[in-house]
Amino acid sequence: MADFTYALDADGVATITWDVAAKSMNVMSTDGFQLLSDLVDQGLADAACKGIIITSAKKDFAGGMDLNVIAEMRKGGAEAIFDGVMMMHNVLRKIERAGMDPKTKKGGKPIVAALPGTALGIGLELPLSCHRIIAADNPKAKIGLPEIMVGIFPGAGGTTRLARKLGAMMAAPFLLEGKLSDPKAAKAAGLIDEVVPAEELLTRAKEWVLSAKEADLVKPWDEKGFKMPGGAPYHPAGFMTFVGASAMVNGKTQGVFPAAKALLAAVYEGALVPFDTALKIEARHFTSVLLNPSSSSMIRSLFINKEALEKGANRPKVEDQSVKKLGVLGAGMMGAGIAYVAANAGIEVVLIDATQEASDRGKAHAESILDKGMKRGKVTAEKKAETLARISATIDYAALKGVDLIVEAVFEDPKVKAEVTKKAEAAAPGVIYATNTSTLPITALSAASSASENFIGIHFFSPVDKMMLVEIIRGKETGEKAVAKALDFVRQIRKTPIVVNDARFFYANRCIIPYINEGIRMVAEGVEPALVENAARLVGMPLGPLQLVDETSIDLGVKIAKATKAAMGADYPDGAVDDVLFWMADQGRMGRKANAGFYAYSDRGERLGLWDGLATKYPTDKMQLSLSDVQHRLLMAQVLEAVRALEEGVLTDIREGDVGAILGWGFAPWSGGPFSWLDIIGAPRAVEICRGLTAQFGPRFQAPNLLREMAEKGETFYTRFASQKAA
Ligand code: NAD
């Protein structure tokens, strides 16, 4: 079946209906675009056709471009990309001009986009080229241009049209942040023109086509004397906008996201020239972004592979294990968060702590999250009541009868954990039992279980309601059913899972701890703390290592250091780090929670700047390291750990390594993750960097054998491991 079909009714209104076969959501392909173009030509040429409605037969309008098209375009190089983009511009421009005389602007036919639901990416760029956009009042629908989230920008005229429609300032949240809106909010923001009850969508579209005047078809930018809303760059108001936008983008992205820079350049340069030239400028910048390896890596990790993991790429073939009733042990920070996300997803929850007061406090945490949602208009009173009603807060283990999954989040103490495991399993025999431990080996904890095949790690990140990654850990004896159960639970609560094998700190913490330690080690060596923090931000890390340890707390760092040292004995490599960490703890500078850490804080908890008292104990050297040395140290500290995790079989899939790194600890998202970053720079260059760092800073930077072998063979991670998992 063709992606688009054409039908002309008795009143002379043609409807072009988008309906891609065998897909629940329309996506645009090259052939689809050609067909759309032909059908528009047909309507414009047909004397009986008075105007055209473009709509969808599905509940949504469209999810965006078929990413395979982008991959294909990329293969052809710059010219193929530019030509492909200009082809799209020409088709959309034809829709916009709709057959009118270019001089008099008369004689065009009205074309309206009627959106039944979600309209994203090209699914909004196409409507933006139409003369009117009418959406069904479907509060679940999302309307917007999310391209920037995967490292590209709207390149089918969306950038140029929206900047001219709303002005650069008002368009900024949609273009630069990929903000999505429901139809009513989209109307209020000026993205679309009308919202009507769903059942009236096509009637209203037809009515508009039949009543449209010639003037309704001329876009403001095609009128003589058009001025950019908010001012063009050399207008005093526009000057302020563009200077501000440039500062904002660089402040937020530190200049590491090529797409954000290119987008801003396309808007700025486009605003100085006529519309059709602006489209060419947009196409040129889009081409450069598509050719940048950052965009392909981001699309691969944040779109294709993230979705594959969410859909169960690594799920054992076991029947559906959806959770109906969940037990949560420990109603502290993590347990309360887990209870909330589960109840929010419609799962019944029994929340148990040692005292009724503590259990109730856990439930109250869920209530406070829901209250915040209500304040922002995202949660209704009914939704709040329903969600809370699903959580029973108790101290009675007998209430666990009938639960099919338990997640334990009590104190990080093996004795306490063993005790609750026994009690809970006695109350719910045969249950799949998960621990949320962040540091204790799963296999050792499973010794307390009467059925270690049912014992697994489900490691959430804090705060549970915001962090999207969940790390599932297989113990030595964990069975397939337990893995499937954990994965199905993560799918129910709409988070992204990775599945790793049991080893110290699993995957995420294993990589993030060396990052923090490398930052602290540099402080001990006399590197300017500001250089450490800025180097991290300038390479795309959301938080510098010193800010990160302040957030997670110095005493947790001390605790982990002590436990690691006890476990590793003479091999423990982080003495220099501990000197600083323990000294900070002695000064009572426990981090953000104490309003004092590597940073100074105001009484109200605002971060003020790096604490100058640090220099009294750790004076900074006159000669400082180069920015790139600091950046390489911080990146390699994480990346080499990821490679070792793969080498040792803790990670079994590089896709999980990349997706987990970005979602779990914010690893430089522009790179697509640690393995993608290594592929971008190439294994030979990575080995060379390691050699330099090892010579200067010590053996922890020695390239793992796997990396060295790949450098010799000229392999990349995504080629070497592609046959293992289609990535
Ligand atoms: P927390 O101290 O906030 O909560 C622990 C809760 O367990 C407390 O409410 C306590 O009363 C309860 N508890 C203790 N003994 C109990 C028992 N015998 N029976 C029932 N309840 C009992 O700690 P948290 O930060 O929520 O951490 C809980 C677990 O999650 C730990 O294993 C921790 O390592 C892990 N974890 C924490 C984080 C984090 O960022 N805090 C992240 C991931 C995993």
Side-chain angles (χ1 to χ4, degrees):
M1 204 179 78
D3 287 4
F4 291 91
T5 47
Y6 177 96
L8 185 68
D9 73 8
D11 299 314
V13 177
T15 303
I16 296 179
T17 307
W18 198 352
D19 193 3
V20 179
K23 284 213 153 104
S24 58
M25 178 77 94
N26 289 325
V27 287
M28 188 69 91
S29 64
T30 314
D31 289 350
F33 223 99
Q34 189 53 53
L35 178 58
L36 171 69
S37 172
D38 294 346
L39 297 180
V40 169
D41 284 339
Q42 185 181 339
L44 295 180
D46 184 352
C49 169
K50 294 182 186 147
I52 302 173
I53 301 171
I54 301 180
T55 190
S56 150
K58 302 195 192 290
K59 74 177 180 16
D60 292 310
F61 186 64
M65 203 73 193
D66 183 341
L67 288 170
N68 295 318
V69 173
I70 292 180
E72 274 309 307
M73 275 162 70
R74 202 181 266 127
K75 278 189 202 148
E79 225 165 294
I81 298 172
F82 186 78
D83 291 348
V85 175
M86 284 312 295
M87 181 279 286
M88 292 196 279
H89 282 325
N90 293 337
V91 173
L92 296 184
R93 195 66 175 128
K94 174 172 69 188
I95 291 175
E96 194 156 56
R97 306 304 281 267
M100 67 181 69
D101 181 283
K103 284 226 169 75
T104 62
K105 318 263 172 18
K106 293 199 182 305
K109 293 184 183 184
I111 304 185
V112 55
L115 316 178
T118 289
L120 299 175
I122 187 75
L124 179 59
E125 292 182 290
L126 162 60
L128 283 170
S129 73
C130 297
H131 305 119
R132 195 162 183 86
I133 310 174
I134 307 177
D137 184 9
N138 170 355
K140 288 215 172 118
K142 290 193 176 123
I143 296 180
L145 301 166
E147 285 86 344
I148 198 80
M149 307 303 284
V150 290
I152 54 176
F153 69 82
T159 297
T160 301
R161 285 197 175 81
L162 205 65
R164 276 169 159 73
K165 194 172 160 105
L166 305 182
M169 185 74 110
M170 302 305 276
F174 303 104
L175 294 175
L176 278 168
E177 291 166 24
K179 180 180 170 187
L180 305 181
S181 313
D182 65 28
K184 283 202 171 122
K187 157 99 176 58
L191 281 183
I192 62 170
D193 304 303
E194 248 182 89
V195 181
V196 299
E199 60 283 5
E200 292 169 22
L201 180 66
L202 291 180
T203 336
R204 174 61 199 135
K206 180 170 170 178
E207 195 179 283
W208 190 84
V209 165
L210 292 174
S211 63
K213 312 247 172 350
E214 275 185 327
D216 295 335
L217 313 190
V218 183
K219 291 289 175 67
W221 43 90
D222 283 328
E223 308 252 28
K224 244 205 173 113
F226 166 73
K227 293 213 164 44
M228 280 275 282
Y234 292 143
H235 179 276
F239 178 79
M240 299 302 287
T241 305
F242 280 97
V243 169
S246 183
M248 186 190 86
V249 169
N250 277 296
K252 280 197 176 173
T253 65
Q254 312 295 326
V256 289
F257 289 87
K261 263 191 187 170
L263 166 69
L264 200 59
V267 172
Y268 179 88
E269 293 162 20
L272 298 167
V273 293
F275 187 81
D276 288 296
T277 314
L279 287 181
K280 275 193 207 148
I281 290 175
E282 186 192 291
R284 209 172 301 141
H285 282 296
F286 188 73
T287 304
S288 84
V289 162
L290 273 204
L291 287 174
N292 191 308
S294 165
S295 71
S296 44
S297 302
M298 282 183 83
I299 291 176
R300 185 176 57 203
S301 289
L302 290 172
F303 192 87
I304 300 172
N305 290 342
K306 176 173 169 291
E307 196 174 281
L309 298 178
E310 285 162 0
K311 286 192 170 156
N314 292 330
R315 185 185 183 282
K317 305 265 168 291
V318 173
E319 73 275 20
D320 180 37
Q321 294 292 322
S322 298
V323 177
K324 286 167 206 76
K325 192 170 172 188
L326 174 77
V328 178
L329 309 180
M333 188 166 83
M334 299 304 288
I338 296 163
Y340 162 74
V341 293
N344 194 42
I347 301 170
E348 294 295 319
V349 180
V350 178
L351 178 61
I352 294 187
D353 206 292
T355 64
Q356 186 62 44
E357 201 192 343
S359 301
D360 290 341
R361 218 179 305 126
K363 185 167 172 174
H365 172 72
E367 186 164 6
S368 75
I369 298 176
L370 289 160
D371 283 340
K372 276 189 208 137
M374 277 180 78
K375 269 201 195 120
R376 287 187 299 135
K378 297 272 176 218
V379 175
T380 61
E382 297 82 66
K383 165 93 183 162
K384 176 184 163 185
E386 269 169 36
T387 308
L388 285 178
R390 287 193 199 107
I391 304 178
S392 9
T394 177
I395 52 168
D396 182 9
Y397 278 70
L400 291 174
K401 187 160 183 261
V403 300
D404 50 333
L405 174 69
I406 288 175
V407 179
E408 167 275 306
V410 300
F411 296 144
E412 189 74 337
D413 174 338
K415 274 199 215 108
V416 181
K417 289 202 188 286
E419 188 189 312
V420 299
T421 304
K422 291 204 169 82
K423 271 165 89 174
E425 282 186 348
V431 72
I432 303 288
Y433 187 96
T435 170
N436 182 48
T437 180
S438 29
T439 57
L440 302 168
I442 303 301
T443 309
L445 289 179
S446 75
S449 167
S450 58
S452 46
E453 71 277 13
N454 288 343
F455 197 97
I456 192 164
I458 303 186
H459 181 214
F460 284 86
F461 295 80
S462 176
V464 179
D465 57 311
K466 299 232 167 68
M467 296 295 287
M468 293 314 292
L469 186 74
V470 178
E471 200 172 14
I472 295 170
I473 305 114
R474 289 174 193 265
K476 272 212 180 68
E477 287 163 26
T478 304
E480 303 282 77
K481 189 174 149 196
V483 175
K485 186 98 198 163
L487 282 166
D488 289 356
F489 175 52
V490 174
R491 180 178 40 72
Q492 282 174 286
I493 56 174
R494 283 177 238 106
K495 295 197 184 281
T496 310
I498 62 171
V499 182
V500 302
N501 287 315
D502 196 13
R504 176 179 302 285
F505 302 135
F506 320 129
Y507 174 60
N509 286 341
R510 172 183 182 145
C511 298
I512 196 69
I513 292 171
Y515 168 68
I516 291 177
N517 285 354
E518 200 58 35
I520 297 178
R521 198 189 306 269
M522 283 193 255
V523 169
E525 287 170 14
V527 179
E528 277 286 354
L531 176 57
V532 174
E533 293 295 89
N534 287 333
R537 301 284 314 279
L538 285 169
V539 85
M541 295 300 294
L543 302 184
L546 305 178
Q547 188 185 344
L548 185 57
V549 70
D550 264 12
E551 296 293 332
T552 50
S553 92
I554 306 288
D555 39 330
L556 180 65
V558 167
K559 217 170 134 189
I560 291 176
K562 283 185 178 160
T564 312
K565 194 170 176 177
M568 292 184 76
D571 294 338
Y572 183 69
D574 291 325
V577 176
D578 293 355
D579 286 349
V580 182
L581 209 55
F582 291 12
W583 180 76
M584 288 290 286
D586 286 346
Q587 309 302 303
R589 301 195 70 89
M590 297 303 188
R592 160 167 312 270
K593 66 178 182 188
N595 256 0
F598 284 101
Y599 283 81
Y601 299 84
S602 74
D603 294 344
R604 283 183 302 158
E606 295 148 323
R607 203 159 37 82
L608 298 175
L610 283 152
W611 175 50
D612 50 16
L614 198 56
T616 59
K617 174 82 177 164
Y618 297 101
T620 54
D621 281 349
K622 267 216 179 93
M623 284 294 289
Q624 289 289 309
L625 294 180
S626 72
L627 179 66
S628 76
D629 271 350
V630 178
Q631 289 180 324
H632 283 153
R633 284 178 72 170
L634 292 173
L635 279 177
M636 282 300 181
Q638 308 167 67
V639 166
L640 296 183
E641 215 44 59
V643 175
R644 287 182 203 116
L646 180 68
E647 245 180 353
E648 291 166 19
V650 173
L651 268 181
T652 57
D653 182 341
I654 54 169
R655 295 178 299 175
E656 293 181 314
D658 273 349
V659 173
I662 299 178
L663 299 188
W665 74 93
F667 180 88
W670 63 267
S671 69
F675 297 103
S676 291
W677 180 67
L678 286 171
D679 279 358
I680 289 174
I681 63 168
R685 171 78 183 122
V687 169
E688 189 188 312
I689 294 173
C690 288
R691 207 171 288 133
L693 293 178
T694 307
Q696 232 183 323
F697 307 109
R700 66 187 176 284
F701 290 112
Q702 259 163 17
N705 288 337
L706 172 62
L707 195 60
R708 254 183 290 183
E709 187 191 312
M710 287 174 56
E712 276 159 25
K713 291 189 182 161
E715 287 173 331
T716 67
F717 283 94
Y718 278 88
T719 50
R720 181 174 173 130
F721 294 98
S723 55
Q724 177 194 340
K725 303 269 157 67

